[in-house]
Amino acid sequence: MRVILCENYEELSLQASKIVASQLILKPESILGLATGSTPIGLYENLVKMNEMGEIDFSKATTFNLDEYYPIKKSNSQSYDYFMNKHLFSKVNINKSKTHIPNGEAIDPVKECEDYELLIKQHGGIDLQILGIGQNGHIGFNEPDFNLNSVTHLTNLTESTIEANSRFFESREEIPTKALTMGISTILKSKKIILLASGASKSKVVGELLNSEINTNIPATMLKVHPDVILICDRDAYSGVRLGVDIGGTNVKFAVVEGNTVKFKTQTKTEKESFEKLIKTISQQCIDIISQYKIKTVGIGTPGIISNGKVKATNVPFDNVDLAKAFKKYIDLPITVDNDANCAALGEAQLGVGSQYDNIVMITLGTGIGGGIITHKHICDGKTSNGEIGHMIINAVDGIPCPCGQKGCWEQYASVSALIRQATNAALENKNSTLYSIYEENSNQLNGELIFEAIDAGCPVANQVFSTYLDYLAVGIKSIIKILSPEAIVLAGAITLQNDKIITPLRERLKDYDVDILISTLQNDAGALGAAML
Ligand code: F6R
C-alpha cells in the first residue's frame, strides 16, 4: 500500500482528483467505483470544476457505487442515490444511465445484490475504486466480523457505524441499520484503489491499518493483498498523537509528538533485572502517558538486532523476544518496533536538522559508531536491523580486532573510544606533551573533553591525534556517500557538541563531495522522537 501524506483535506482532495482525472483522460470509458460519505466531497467538487473547465469528460464513463442503505427511498435526502446526484451526477456530463447504485428500494435485496455483482462483472470490473474508511476499519459497509462476505450482499450495520451516521439523520429511529454493499472481493477485483482518510477521528484506524496484519476485524487491512492501493490521507488522520519510547542500557526515554510538535518528554532508569519487569515498568509509564495525551500509536526503539520481529540485545535483557507482542499485553494500541539507531535517524529526518532532506544518513559517534539510513523519508530496513555502518571494514591488512568478530571495522578508528585510545597511546609516547600532563593529572586517564582541553591549549600531539581521527572519520563517510548518495550526513553524539572544532575540518576533508555535513539538533532525544514517528 502506497501512502500519499497530505498537509490537509484540500491537498488530499486535490491528490485524489488528479488520480481520477488521469484515469479518465487515459481511458475515457473507465468504470469508476464511487464512495459516498463526507470524505470524498472535496474530490467530487474538484472533479466538477475540472469537468466544467473541459479538463475531464465523464460522457463515456460508467460508475458503480459501493453501497446504499437498505431499505431507503431514493428520494430520501440521506440516500446515497440522492448524495451522488447532489455532489456529482447532476453537475457533470455523465450519462445518468451509466451510473449504478445498489437499489435501496429493491423488494428482494438478495437478488438485487446478485444482479449488481453480475453487472459489474459484465462491465469487465472496476478500473479505479474510490474508498473511504470507517472509524472501525470498514470499507464499503464491510463491517468488522469473523467472516467477511466477499461479494455484494445485504449487511447489518454495527452500532459504531450507526452512531457515526447519526449526524446525518434527525432522529435515531430514522438511521438505517442495514445496507447493500459490494463485498471485499468485489472491491479487491478493482484494478486500482484509492483509499481516502481525513481528520483526527480516523487517526486510530489509519494507525491500525498501517500497523496490523491482515485481519477481518479491520476490514480495510484486506486491501494489503491488492497490488495497487494508494492511501491518501491528511496529517490529522495519519499522525494523531504518538508516543515514542527509546529503550537504552541506562535510561528509557519517552516522547509524545502531535503532528510535528513535541508535546512531552520524560525518562526513567532502565529496569534491567528481568525482561518481564522491564516491559511492565515501561508499559506502566506508557499507560499513564497514553491516558493523559490520548495517544493513538506507540513506537518502540530498541538496542540490538531485530530479526523476524524478535529482538536480541546485550545491554538489556532481550534474548530473541517479540517486543511488540510483550507490550501488547499491557497496551491496547498499534505498536511498532525498530532498532534505536534507525529511530534516531528517523527522528532527525522528520523533526530535526534532516527534515528538509529526503535522504540522510545519521552517524552517532560514541563507544562505537551507530548508524541509521533514511531513504525517501523512510527507514531503509534490511533483512535484520540495518545501518551497521560502524562495522564497515576500512582496514583489511592489519585491522584492529572488533568485538563483532571482524578486523578493521570503522568504529575501531573513528568512534570516541577509538579517539581516546589513540590519544592515550600518543600521550604515553610523548611524555613531555601537554596531552600527557593532562593524562597524568587525571589519574592516568583521558576522555573526550580532556583531549579537547589539550587541543585548546595548543598541544601539537593532541592536534595530530585529532587530525588523524578526522581522517578516519572522513574515510568512512566518503564510502557512505559513494554507496548511498545521501543529501546530508547528520552527526550525533557528545563529541559533536564541540561543533565547529569537528564540523569545519570534517567539511574541509569532504569538500569534493556534494553532501551537507550537519550536527544533530535532537541529539539524545532523537531516538524517542523517531520512535514516535515510526
Ligand atoms: C460510503 C462508504 C463508507 C464510508 C465510510 C467513511 O459509500 O462506503 O465506507 O466511506 O463510512 O465515511 P466518511 O467519509 O463520512 O467518514
Side-chain angles (χ1 to χ4, degrees):
M1 182 177 296
R2 279 178 52 209
V3 180
I4 299 183
L5 179 56
C6 304
E7 277 312 309
N8 48 37
Y9 179 68
E10 286 67 40
E11 195 189 329
L12 173 152
S13 304
L14 184 69
Q15 293 288 355
S17 54
K18 280 185 186 170
I19 293 175
V20 179
S22 329
Q23 176 68 40
L24 280 174
I25 290 164
L26 291 171
K27 187 179 175 192
E29 65 286 2
S30 287
I31 313 291
L32 301 177
L34 303 178
T36 58
S38 48
T39 318
I41 291 178
L43 156 66
Y44 294 147
E45 280 170 6
N46 289 344
L47 294 179
V48 168
K49 279 188 212 137
M50 288 170 160
N51 186 243
E52 276 167 9
M53 313 264 290
E55 291 169 5
I56 51 171
D57 175 21
F58 279 92
S59 65
K60 298 194 179 79
T62 301
T63 67
F64 283 92
N65 263 76
L66 272 168
D67 43 17
E68 176 61 284
Y69 290 125
Y70 187 82
I72 198 161
K73 290 249 173 285
K74 289 183 195 214
S75 55
N76 184 321
S77 63
Q78 296 311 324
S79 78
Y80 288 174
D81 204 284
Y82 190 96
F83 176 101
M84 288 312 301
N85 278 314
K86 177 173 167 199
H87 293 286
L88 192 69
F89 298 157
S90 65
K91 296 182 174 167
V92 294
N93 68 332
I94 201 156
N95 179 344
K96 201 59 208 313
S97 67
K98 289 185 171 178
T99 66
H100 305 277
I101 300 176
N103 184 3
E105 296 178 2
I107 313 265
D108 182 348
V110 175
K111 169 127 191 0
E112 168 63 21
C113 291
E114 282 169 10
D115 291 349
Y116 199 74
E117 186 78 20
L118 189 64
L119 198 61
I120 297 174
K121 203 171 164 197
Q122 282 165 352
H123 277 79
I126 288 164
D127 290 310
L128 172 64
Q129 176 67 56
I130 299 159
L131 294 177
I133 183 169
Q135 285 173 33
N136 61 5
H138 72 223
I139 45 174
F141 275 130
N142 294 280
E143 300 278 33
D145 209 337
F146 288 119
N147 195 352
L148 293 183
N149 203 329
S150 60
V151 293
T152 305
H153 60 283
L154 174 68
T155 187
N156 291 317
L157 302 180
T158 59
E159 264 314 308
S160 75
T161 300
I162 295 171
E163 182 60 40
N165 289 341
S166 62
R167 62 200 154 131
F168 301 120
F169 294 86
E170 275 178 9
S171 72
R172 202 164 168 98
E173 295 67 53
E174 281 179 49
I175 313 170
T177 56
K178 288 182 194 297
L180 308 171
T181 179
M182 284 186 195
I184 292 290
S185 114
T186 328
I187 294 171
L188 288 177
K189 277 189 207 129
S190 314
K191 296 185 187 79
K192 187 179 183 77
I193 298 174
I194 54 173
L195 174 65
L196 315 182
S198 168
S201 67
K202 300 290 169 71
S203 66
K204 182 163 185 283
V205 74
V206 168
E208 285 168 346
L209 166 65
L210 294 174
N211 294 301
S212 308
E213 300 287 319
I214 296 169
N215 73 90
T216 57
N217 271 327
I218 310 167
T221 58
M222 301 283 162
L223 297 172
K224 292 186 178 189
V225 302
H226 193 286
D228 193 358
V229 179
I230 307 177
L231 166 66
I232 308 178
C233 60
D234 57 22
R235 240 174 222 292
D236 286 346
Y238 187 70
S239 46
V241 190
R242 300 147 166 262
L243 169 61
V245 182
D246 181 18
I247 306 174
T250 316
N251 294 310
V252 182
K253 298 201 166 86
F254 301 82
V256 174
V257 181
E258 183 169 17
N260 285 342
T261 314
V262 181
K263 295 278 206 194
F264 173 75
K265 284 187 300 191
T266 187
Q267 67 176 54
T268 56
K269 286 262 157 278
T270 308
E271 176 63 74
K272 287 198 274 194
E273 213 172 280
S274 73
F275 174 64
E276 283 73 24
K277 212 163 173 192
L278 177 55
I279 299 297
K280 201 168 173 188
T281 43
I282 296 175
S283 299
Q284 268 157 359
Q285 181 85 35
C286 288
I287 289 163
D288 285 352
I289 301 173
I290 288 166
S291 60
Q292 227 179 312
Y293 286 93
K294 301 201 172 70
I295 303 291
K296 297 284 175 1
T297 57
V298 180
I300 311 269
T302 170
I305 290 183
I306 307 174
S307 179
N308 291 327
K310 303 259 173 79
V311 184
K312 196 171 175 59
T314 45
N315 51 349
V316 278
F318 296 167
D319 189 10
N320 266 323
V321 290
D322 187 333
L323 271 193
K325 197 167 160 197
F327 281 113
K328 281 240 171 201
K329 267 201 337 205
Y330 301 96
I331 302 168
D332 183 23
L333 283 175
I335 297 176
T336 313
V337 177
D338 210 319
N339 170 267
D340 51 4
N342 283 346
C343 290
L346 185 66
E348 207 63 66
Q350 305 244 356
L351 303 170
V353 72
S355 59
Q356 49 179 315
Y357 306 90
D358 285 341
N359 305 293
I360 68 164
V361 175
M362 179 150 174
I363 301 171
T364 306
L365 303 168
T367 319
I369 296 185
I373 301 164
I374 300 293
T375 49
H376 306 294
K377 288 271 179 225
H378 289 94
I379 292 171
C380 170
D381 258 330
K383 193 172 119 215
T384 59
S385 45
N386 207 356
E388 293 289 355
I389 52 178
H391 297 283
M392 162 174 60
I393 294 174
I394 63 159
N395 183 350
V397 182
D398 53 0
I400 302 171
C402 181
C404 77
Q406 300 186 140
K407 282 184 182 158
C409 289
W410 189 34
E411 69 175 30
Q412 294 305 321
Y413 299 84
S415 63
V416 176
S417 316
L419 172 65
I420 294 169
R421 182 170 20 80
Q422 290 150 15
T424 308
N425 290 342
L428 293 171
E429 282 164 18
N430 296 278
K431 295 203 168 151
N432 53 357
S433 66
T434 309
L435 186 63
Y436 182 75
S437 316
I438 293 177
Y439 168 82
E440 252 194 331
E441 280 160 23
N442 289 278
S443 329
N444 291 347
Q445 266 185 349
L446 285 175
N447 60 31
E449 267 174 44
L450 295 173
I451 296 168
F452 279 99
E453 201 179 303
I455 292 171
D456 290 345
C459 170
V461 175
N463 266 310
Q464 184 53 48
V465 167
F466 188 54
S467 171
T468 309
Y469 167 81
L470 287 168
D471 289 342
Y472 283 130
L473 189 56
V475 158
I477 295 178
K478 283 177 188 175
S479 298
I480 291 169
I481 297 170
K482 283 281 178 204
I483 297 167
L484 295 166
S485 181
E487 293 154 78
I489 298 279
V490 180
L491 298 171
I495 192 171
T496 62
L497 301 178
Q498 297 291 335
N499 280 310
D500 288 349
K501 284 183 207 158
I502 180 162
I503 207 84
T504 309
L506 194 59
R507 281 186 183 143
E508 180 56 30
R509 283 166 173 77
L510 298 166
K511 66 174 184 301
D512 296 335
Y513 295 77
D514 179 22
V515 66
D516 293 338
I517 309 291
L518 309 165
I519 291 178
S520 157
T521 44
L522 304 179
Q523 293 287 355
N524 284 338
D525 291 334
L529 293 173
M533 305 308 278
L534 276 173

